[in-house]
Amino acid sequence: MSDITLAESIYVKRSNSNLGGGATFRECVLETFWYPYGIKDGYVELFPVTDDLKRVLRLVEKIPVEIFKEEFSQKENSKDTYLELKKTIR
C-alpha cells in the first residue's frame, strides 16, 4: 500500500452520467465535492459537501486509497473553503 498525504483542500469526484432517453438523451459529467477527514487502515475517510460548498454532511464514505488516487482530485483554490468547513466539524 502506498503512502498518501491529504491536502487541506476540497476534493472533487467526476463521474460520467446519462440523462434522458431517446431524443432527450445526453451525456454529462456529475461533480461531487468531498471533505477529507483522514486516512485509516488503507481507507480515506470523506464527508460529502453540499454543492454550494457551505456545509459538510456527516455521512462518512470510506474509499480504498488506490481508488481515491484514481477517482478524486483537488478542487483548485479550495483551501479557504476547506478551512472554513473544518471549523464546523472539529
Side-chain angles (χ1 to χ4, degrees), residues 2-63:
S2 55
D3 295 329
I4 182 173
T5 303
L6 296 174
E8 290 185 328
S9 176
I10 300 300
Y11 282 81
V12 179
K13 180 179 180 185
R14 290 177 180 86
S15 305
N16 293 326
S17 183
N18 299 323
L19 289 176
T24 62
F25 174 82
R26 67 179 182 161
E27 293 181 10
C28 62
V29 176
L30 175 65
E31 288 187 341
T32 54
F33 303 105
W34 300 86
Y35 178 93
Y37 186 68
I39 301 173
K40 186 176 179 181
D41 299 327
Y43 288 85
V44 177
E45 296 178 346
L46 303 157
F47 290 134
V49 177
T50 57
D51 287 346
D52 61 1
L53 302 176
K54 300 287 184 193
R55 197 164 59 104
V56 171
L57 305 175
R58 296 290 189 132
L59 305 169
V60 177
E61 183 78 27
K62 294 182 180 182
I63 308 290

